[in-house]
Amino acid sequence: MPLDMIIGAQWGDEGKGRVTDMLAAQTDIVARYSGGDNAGHTVTVQGDIFKLHLIPSGIIHPNTTCLIGNGVVLNPAVLLREMAMLTDRGIDVGSARLKISRNTHLITPAHIALDKAKEARRGNDAIGTTLRGIGPAYTDKTSRIGLRAELFANPEELADQIQAHIAEKNEVLTKIYDAEPLDADAVAAEYAQFAQQLREHLVYGSVFLDAALKDGRSVLAEGAQGTFLDLDHGTYPFVTSSAPTSGGVLVGLGVGPRMVGRVIGIAKAFTSRVGSGPFPSELDGELAHRLRGTGDKPWDEYGTTTGRPRRVGWLDLVMLRHAVRINGLTELVLTKLDILSGLDEIRVCNAYQLDGETIDFYPSDIPSLSRCQAVYETHPGWQEDVMGVRELANLPQAAQDYIHFVAKEGGVPVTAVSVGPGRAQVVHL
Ligand code: GDP
Ligand code: IMO
Ligand code: MG
């Protein structure tokens, strides 16, 4: 069986969680391959809302097995809280269902303290990180001084490494950032507890997936973040510290490219972004309020992880084409079409104006991107509520035309459109 992928095609929060949940019904294994608890994935099942940060969204279907892959940075405290939340809600998160790759890197309180100190030091140039310690944990990984989950199986080594890790970070925190030092003994004791609780979940992730694939089982890779938060291909430096793109799946799970089947991009029918950085099709004023919502509906545009209001704008097809190319998307799922209902007209960015020239690709450097002006095409809107629609033919003609336009100009087939957060609120094309 192949490895299929769910990839964010914008700046995150495209609705990857709900699409993962939808496909998990026919999937044996769902695996997270990058990011950490900076992610916030929302799944709505008959009005029940699950917000997941680390555990793959496949966990809600009783017959899937979930893996936290080696490309993830794992905060064990957050994982245990999430496991407790799911257990309370009757979902089994035992070691038969939830696996952790042994070479997944761990986030510690020192990484979180450093994330906060670094963001504070950046002042007006802050990235607007989620302050979950993501950047510092990946920095340790690439510096080859990170702590890996396999230490849970070796308590003495874990204690030694935590002591050395906190001692080193305390120097940086106190001498460079003038911040409070951490208590190494307390952190070591806390991590010894985590080790006891999580040890039995450890697996050799790549070996586990290889055996499953050879055995004819299906694997779905659940992306976190999105293409434009990718360390290489996003709006650097206003990005996260990992590779949410399809290349990151192979590295982050230890699976080769020949196993890959569908590469499913997820994009909202408009665009949103949390955190700083350029956003050529950004809106403000009345229209932005209209797309964002006021926060009274669970799907309004406020961060799942941080609660921050998201910046919003029109759909950007220049970005979408970049995502199709970088990820090799085989198809696209368009989410939140219902939010566009009631607008008189809908605009779509299909090119940029840069220093007097029209360009149709995404420049990689921030100075150029910041000077890009969106060039729009205007489409008629529709007034009907589409949340109850399940067939393409029952969508208003203007909505059908919008979907076909996105597919044609994006250069990727649209295979499904969601019209509400619920499991059933999907139109398959
Ligand atoms: P993810 O990070 O990509 O999984 O996306 P989030 O869960 O952070 O954000 C997507 C938000 O939109 C969540 O609140 C979802 O419940 C909601 N959502 C997803 N699809 C739809 C849709 O088609 N319509 C509406 N109204 N809400 C949706
Ligand atoms: P999901 O999986 C939206 C953004 C942060 C910030 C930048 C760097 O829910 O789509 P970090 O804490 O990763 O160092 O922050 O990345 N960011 C996200 N934005 N959705 C996410 O995840 C995000 N994860 C990180 O807001 O701009
Ligand atoms: Mg999210």
Side-chain angles (χ1 to χ4, degrees):
M1 287 291 263
L3 165 79
D4 293 337
M5 305 177 177
I6 302 273
I7 309 277
Q10 296 163 321
W11 275 297
D13 301 327
E14 299 91 347
K16 299 174 294 292
R18 69 87 43 90
V19 179
T20 301
D21 169 71
M22 179 176 94
L23 296 180
Q26 304 98 39
T27 304
D28 297 306
I29 297 171
V30 180
R32 277 275 308 270
Y33 61 89
S34 74
D37 62 300
N38 48 349
H41 296 180
T42 316
V43 178
T44 310
V45 184
Q46 279 151 6
D48 264 355
I49 298 179
F50 294 86
K51 290 176 191 262
L52 298 164
H53 300 282
L54 270 171
I55 298 180
S57 304
I59 200 80
I60 296 161
H61 282 285
N63 298 324
T64 52
T65 304
C66 290
L67 172 73
I68 297 178
N70 59 274
V72 170
V73 284
L74 169 69
N75 181 331
V78 174
L79 176 63
L80 285 163
R81 276 205 297 276
E82 202 160 290
M83 288 167 69
M85 179 273 287
L86 289 169
T87 304
D88 277 354
R89 297 175 73 171
I91 292 173
D92 173 15
V93 290
S95 58
R97 282 204 75 201
L98 179 61
K99 318 273 183 196
I100 303 169
S101 188
R102 296 176 73 96
N103 45 357
T104 303
H105 278 251
L106 300 178
I107 293 181
T108 71
H111 293 135
I112 295 169
L114 273 173
D115 199 357
K116 290 178 178 160
K118 283 168 185 278
E119 278 287 271
R121 180 66 57 90
R122 285 186 194 109
N124 285 340
D125 296 325
I127 294 166
T129 75
T130 58
L131 305 178
R132 301 298 155 109
I134 306 297
Y138 279 116
T139 303
D140 277 3
K141 176 178 176 174
T142 48
S143 303
R144 297 162 293 181
I145 55 169
L147 309 175
R148 308 209 295 187
E150 61 208 2
L151 289 169
F152 288 159
N154 188 345
E156 279 173 26
E157 182 64 21
L158 173 66
D160 288 350
Q161 289 211 20
I162 289 274
Q163 290 286 350
H165 165 81
I166 298 293
E168 188 246 344
K169 296 298 184 251
N170 275 348
E171 280 215 37
V172 179
L173 283 166
T174 54
K175 293 187 180 156
I176 297 182
Y177 293 104
D178 209 13
E180 289 296 314
L182 294 153
D183 178 343
D185 290 336
V187 178
E190 200 185 16
Y191 275 64
Q193 281 288 323
F194 297 155
Q196 262 188 19
Q197 291 166 274
L198 294 172
R199 185 176 308 149
E200 61 182 9
H201 295 265
L202 294 179
V203 291
Y204 292 97
S206 170
V207 176
F208 170 75
L209 291 177
D210 186 55
L213 288 163
K214 284 189 175 137
D215 206 30
R217 279 179 286 159
S218 53
V219 179
L220 182 65
E222 175 181 6
Q225 291 78 53
T227 301
F228 291 83
L229 291 171
D230 185 279
L231 188 54
D232 283 85
H233 301 292
T235 46
Y236 189 90
F238 300 102
V239 292
T240 191
S241 299
S242 65
T245 43
S246 57
V249 179
L250 306 183
V251 179
L253 293 179
V255 177
R258 287 194 302 169
M259 305 311 292
V260 178
R262 300 162 70 186
V263 185
I264 307 164
I266 316 297
K268 276 179 186 154
F270 51 99
T271 308
S272 73
R273 168 167 214 178
V274 261
S276 321
F279 183 168
S281 69
E282 185 167 14
L283 287 166
D284 56 16
E286 206 38 51
L287 261 170
H289 282 298
R290 169 65 184 70
L291 290 179
R292 182 181 305 116
T294 49
D296 59 334
K297 298 198 190 65
W299 55 78
D300 283 349
E301 296 292 343
Y302 294 82
T304 310
T305 299
T306 59
R308 289 178 290 178
R310 295 180 188 141
R311 300 158 66 193
V312 291
W314 295 118
L315 184 67
D316 184 336
L317 292 172
V318 182
M319 287 177 64
L320 185 58
R321 287 190 289 267
H322 183 86
V324 170
R325 173 167 41 80
I326 296 288
N327 297 298
L329 298 184
T330 60
E331 60 203 88
L332 186 75
V333 175
L334 210 52
T335 60
K336 298 191 92 165
L337 187 76
D338 51 296
I339 301 301
L340 299 183
S341 293
L343 295 172
D344 291 333
E345 56 179 40
I346 295 167
R347 302 177 90 191
V348 187
C349 169
N350 206 3
Y352 297 150
Q353 194 74 16
L354 175 61
D355 301 335
E357 261 185 74
T358 303
I359 58 168
D360 65 356
F361 64 92
Y362 204 78
S364 60
D365 64 295
I366 293 292
S368 301
L369 250 183
S370 306
R371 294 199 308 281
C372 280
Q373 307 269 350
V375 179
Y376 291 109
E377 294 188 19
T378 303
H379 293 255
W382 60 89
Q383 299 308 312
E384 297 89 329
D385 177 2
V386 296
M387 290 183 104
V389 176
R390 300 292 176 267
E391 301 284 335
L392 181 68
N394 295 336
L395 282 174
Q397 190 58 49
Q400 294 187 38
D401 292 346
Y402 184 72
I403 297 165
H404 293 313
F405 176 79
V406 171
K408 180 169 157 283
E409 293 297 314
V412 64
V414 174
T415 51
V417 177
S418 73
V419 292
R423 259 189 189 162
Q425 289 178 297
V426 178
V427 176
H428 293 279
L429 270 70

